Amino acid sequence: MAESNLSPGADAVRRYLIGLQASITGAIAEIDGTPFLSDAWQKEPGETLQGQGITKILEGGPVFERAGCGFSQVRGPKLPPSATQHRPELAGAPFEAMGVSLVFHPRNPFVPTVHMNVRMLAAKGKAGKEVCWFGGGMDLTPFYGFEEDAVHFHATCKEALTSFGDDKYPRFKTWCDEYFYLKHRSEQRGVGGIFFDDFSELGFDDSLAMLKSVGDSFLKAYLPIVERRKNTVYGERERAFQLYRRGRYVEFNLVWDRGTHFGLQSGGRTESILLSMPPMVSWSYQNVPAPGTPEAALYSQFLVRKDWV
Amino acid sequence: MAESNLSPGADAVRRYLIGLQASITGAIAEIDGTPFLSDAWQKEPGETLQGQGITKILEGGPVFERAGCGFSQVRGPKLPPSATQHRPELAGAPFEAMGVSLVFHPRNPFVPTVHMNVRMLAAKGKAGKEVCWFGGGMDLTPFYGFEEDAVHFHATCKEALTSFGDDKYPRFKTWCDEYFYLKHRSEQRGVGGIFFDDFSELGFDDSLAMLKSVGDSFLKAYLPIVERRKNTVYGERERAFQLYRRGRYVEFNLVWDRGTHFGLQSGGRTESILLSMPPMVSWSYQNVPAPGTPEAALYSQFLVRKDWV
């Protein structure tokens, strides 16, 4: 599947995505001092979904307890419902999807968890016309909130989008707040960032340029925060709160996330989709922090919709 | 809501369920030496779903790391889609649901996790006719498999159903295998048990008698297994495998379980619905046990559909 059937521009996107995965995992491996395991996989002939990918994962490092970054390129006979909520005319159309998706779970509770995804979808509609769109974004999930981290992350996201129109950051920031929301908890997943989907309004070339700008900004947005927080001293209390809060990440991804459902519904590769799961998580009943604590401040000052820049 | 609007038999069911919750948690508290925390709750007026419940939970005990057992009785204006897959004529009808649901996560990896649920639903269809049905079952999820445990559990389930017709155990056993199946892993959740839903074929009285027989059999099915295994010596290896396998429980409940989706979709009480979550869980990439180990035997000999009795 080096050649794409559905989109003539797909090869350039593929090369970009593989390079992005390499540069991000390279930087993370360096900061951690641990190499990523690299696992190239291919769907068996005869499976509903055809395709291949490269899963890169670092587990048990001193800085990152679990950091997964996957590239995948899959092709299927029928777009699943989760992908066509906003494009009903393409329901059941043959499709091709490729993207890079990552979730990094740091060990130190003062370093936030982060997620980034850039992807392209191409589908052939009933009239035989090919439709191609992009999606992606990044968002930050702290356990202990620091305003300067949230501001830096958002400012970097905003800068990545500036040359594509002033409307993009505010739209995608709001979209992110709406998307990464745990309805069953009435709670934001974290301090947000940017999120977009079904994006093709700038035409193929400029929409792709925007996607690349987002992907290329990820390390600028996240690494300074890791460097700043990774040596902060913590104890059992902070560790326990981190493990508890990671449960929200699991709840969001398994209950609400469209990408996870798309993957699991369409017969994607489970171990690659669930790279996003934390290495260690806990649940406990009615775990509500005492007023005035930093844990309480996370809920009241950070897990809320706010203009950070 | 002591009086039920929808079903004249609901009060008797309610009394049975509250007694069942008390007897099960009493026995578990005794074996653990730790009392359950009992939390009576009520939905706020104005919320979509009205109702109340009693959540009982034991956390951090020597035998049970997390044992949750909830009674709830809720009433809503519109049955959610997850409840009407098999009764499309009742889609969106006002309903009342009550039940007892439990998941016990033992500390010792040689003691299996267990789930039991008994419930009644009543709904008023378009013609104004009230429809009432029952659902429930119990299933066992070992980390280390023992044939005698699986046989005992299934034999007790079978016995509970015998006087309600010879077809019940085989039907509900198969239903359980089909229901507690992780499609994205091609894996059974455990060694199964029994599961039934939309059940009213014996008429109200006998269907309720069957429900009670299932509820009343739970301790007989599970306690002897706990007693037999709770003092087995284990080490880090068994603990690590237990934490990893608990991830499957989370995946099943959050991705596939109809009851969990029903609860979260219908605005149920999140902390009570998520009583089923384990106290501590881990995920790791491509965790496949070496051939010939007891961990490999779990997959090949226990997480498969098999006639245990």
Side-chain angles (χ1 to χ4, degrees):
Chain A
M1 211 168 77
E3 293 294 320
S4 168
N5 283 340
L6 285 174
S7 168
D11 265 8
V13 180
R14 184 177 181 275
R15 280 191 299 275
Y16 168 71
L17 293 172
I18 287 176
L20 180 69
Q21 183 192 32
S23 65
I24 290 174
T25 53
I28 294 293
E30 199 182 312
I31 210 172
D32 197 90
T34 312
F36 276 72
L37 179 152
S38 183
D39 195 4
W41 53 267
Q42 191 143 13
K43 297 294 280 183
E44 300 293 325
E47 289 189 75
T48 317
L49 213 62
Q50 286 298 295
Q52 60 203 6
I54 305 165
T55 290
K56 290 185 187 255
I57 183 144
L58 184 169
E59 291 183 309
V63 181
F64 291 98
E65 207 175 324
R66 191 169 200 232
C69 180
F71 162 77
S72 68
Q73 182 179 17
V74 296
R75 203 183 280 168
K78 273 174 78 168
L79 265 175
S82 56
T84 50
Q85 285 176 305
H86 304 292
R87 295 182 185 260
E89 74 283 7
L90 291 176
F95 72 98
E96 179 167 1
M98 66 175 107
V100 164
S101 188
L102 66 82
V103 173
F104 296 159
H105 293 285
R107 188 177 295 278
N108 190 310
F110 291 100
V111 182
T113 291
V114 75
H115 161 251
M116 195 276 293
N117 172 243
V118 282
R119 61 185 180 275
M120 186 187 93
L121 259 97
K124 203 157 262 180
K126 275 170 194 136
K129 199 170 158 274
E130 190 209 284
V131 188
C132 179
W133 67 96
F134 299 91
M138 58 180 105
D139 70 291
L140 194 72
T141 306
F143 305 95
Y144 289 87
F146 294 95
E147 192 173 339
E148 62 174 324
D149 294 354
V151 170
H152 166 78
F153 191 83
H154 275 273
T156 313
C157 289
K158 187 179 181 182
E159 202 188 310
L161 296 169
T162 300
S163 59
F164 301 94
D166 287 344
D167 61 319
K168 302 297 177 299
Y169 171 75
R171 271 170 60 195
F172 298 171
K173 190 267 180 210
T174 302
W175 203 341
C176 187
D177 284 341
E178 286 163 1
Y179 185 80
F180 292 104
Y181 179 68
L182 287 83
K183 292 192 191 83
H184 64 294
R185 298 279 190 185
S186 305
E187 208 175 278
Q188 297 298 132
R189 173 159 100 167
V191 296
I194 50 174
F195 179 92
F196 58 99
D197 201 359
D198 301 302
F199 190 87
S200 56
E201 67 195 51
L202 299 176
F204 185 87
D205 291 347
D206 284 357
S207 297
L208 174 57
M210 190 187 82
L211 189 83
K212 287 181 178 178
S213 183
V214 170
D216 294 342
S217 297
F218 170 73
L219 289 172
K220 279 179 271 182
Y222 186 55
L223 281 196
I225 299 171
V226 178
E227 292 288 4
R228 190 148 62 206
R229 308 286 167 211
K230 73 186 166 77
N231 297 318
T232 312
V233 175
Y234 67 93
E236 276 178 36
R237 168 185 169 154
E238 291 80 14
R239 176 66 172 170
F241 188 60
Q242 178 195 47
L243 297 189
Y244 174 73
R245 288 288 317 163
R246 281 178 178 167
R248 299 294 208 275
Y249 222 82
V250 174
E251 292 174 20
F252 182 83
N253 284 11
L254 298 186
V255 176
W256 302 108
D257 186 53
R258 208 170 136 186
T260 302
H261 282 183
F262 174 95
L264 297 174
Q265 275 179 14
S266 63
R269 186 173 182 265
T270 295
E271 285 287 293
S272 300
I273 297 163
L274 298 181
L275 281 186
S276 62
M277 293 292 105
M280 192 69 80
V281 196
S282 74
W283 273 270
S284 54
Y285 185 68
Q286 298 283 55
N287 187 327
V288 180
T293 60
E295 291 82 6
L298 178 77
Y299 290 91
S300 62
Q301 294 171 43
F302 292 90
L303 304 181
V304 290
R305 298 185 191 186
K306 196 184 270 198
D307 288 326
W308 293 102
V309 289
Chain B
M1 210 167 80
E3 292 295 319
S4 168
N5 282 340
L6 284 173
S7 170
D11 264 8
V13 180
R14 184 176 180 275
R15 281 191 300 274
Y16 168 71
L17 292 172
I18 287 176
L20 179 68
Q21 183 192 33
S23 66
I24 290 174
T25 54
I28 294 292
E30 198 182 315
I31 209 172
D32 196 90
T34 311
F36 276 72
L37 179 152
S38 183
D39 195 4
W41 53 269
Q42 190 142 14
K43 298 294 278 181
E44 299 293 323
E47 289 189 76
T48 317
L49 214 62
Q50 286 298 297
Q52 61 202 4
I54 305 165
T55 290
K56 290 186 186 253
I57 183 145
L58 184 169
E59 291 183 309
V63 180
F64 291 97
E65 208 175 326
R66 191 167 199 237
C69 180
F71 162 77
S72 68
Q73 182 178 18
V74 296
R75 202 184 279 171
K78 273 175 77 169
L79 264 175
S82 57
T84 49
Q85 285 175 303
H86 304 292
R87 295 181 185 261
E89 75 283 7
L90 290 177
F95 71 98
E96 178 167 2
M98 66 176 106
V100 164
S101 188
L102 66 83
V103 173
F104 296 159
H105 294 284
R107 187 177 294 280
N108 190 311
F110 290 100
V111 182
T113 291
V114 74
H115 160 250
M116 193 276 292
N117 172 242
V118 282
R119 61 187 179 276
M120 186 188 94
L121 259 97
K124 202 157 261 180
K126 274 169 196 135
K129 201 173 156 270
E130 189 209 283
V131 189
C132 180
W133 66 96
F134 299 91
M138 59 180 105
D139 70 291
L140 194 72
T141 306
F143 305 96
Y144 289 88
F146 294 96
E147 192 173 338
E148 62 174 322
D149 294 354
V151 169
H152 167 76
F153 192 83
H154 274 273
T156 313
C157 289
K158 186 178 181 183
E159 202 187 310
L161 296 168
T162 302
S163 60
F164 302 93
D166 286 343
D167 61 319
K168 301 297 177 299
Y169 171 75
R171 272 169 61 196
F172 298 171
K173 190 268 181 211
T174 302
W175 203 343
C176 187
D177 284 341
E178 286 163 0
Y179 185 81
F180 292 105
Y181 179 68
L182 286 82
K183 293 192 190 83
H184 65 293
R185 299 279 189 185
S186 304
E187 208 175 280
Q188 297 298 132
R189 173 160 100 169
V191 296
I194 49 172
F195 179 91
F196 58 99
D197 201 358
D198 301 302
F199 190 88
S200 55
E201 68 196 50
L202 300 178
F204 185 88
D205 291 347
D206 283 355
S207 297
L208 174 57
M210 189 188 83
L211 189 83
K212 288 181 177 177
S213 183
V214 169
D216 294 342
S217 297
F218 170 74
L219 288 172
K220 277 179 270 182
Y222 186 55
L223 281 195
I225 299 171
V226 178
E227 292 288 3
R228 190 147 64 205
R229 307 288 167 209
K230 73 186 167 76
N231 296 317
T232 312
V233 175
Y234 66 93
E236 276 177 35
R237 168 186 169 154
E238 291 80 15
R239 175 67 173 170
F241 188 61
Q242 178 195 47
L243 297 190
Y244 174 72
R245 288 290 316 164
R246 281 178 178 168
R248 298 295 208 277
Y249 222 81
V250 174
E251 292 174 20
F252 181 82
N253 283 11
L254 298 186
V255 176
W256 301 109
D257 186 53
R258 208 171 137 187
T260 302
H261 283 184
F262 173 93
L264 297 174
Q265 275 178 14
S266 63
R269 186 171 182 266
T270 296
E271 284 288 293
S272 300
I273 297 163
L274 297 182
L275 281 185
S276 62
M277 293 292 104
M280 191 70 81
V281 196
S282 74
W283 272 270
S284 54
Y285 185 69
Q286 298 283 57
N287 187 327
V288 180
T293 59
E295 291 83 4
L298 178 76
Y299 290 91
S300 62
Q301 294 172 44
F302 293 89
L303 304 182
V304 290
R305 298 184 190 187
K306 197 184 268 196
D307 287 326
W308 293 102
V309 288

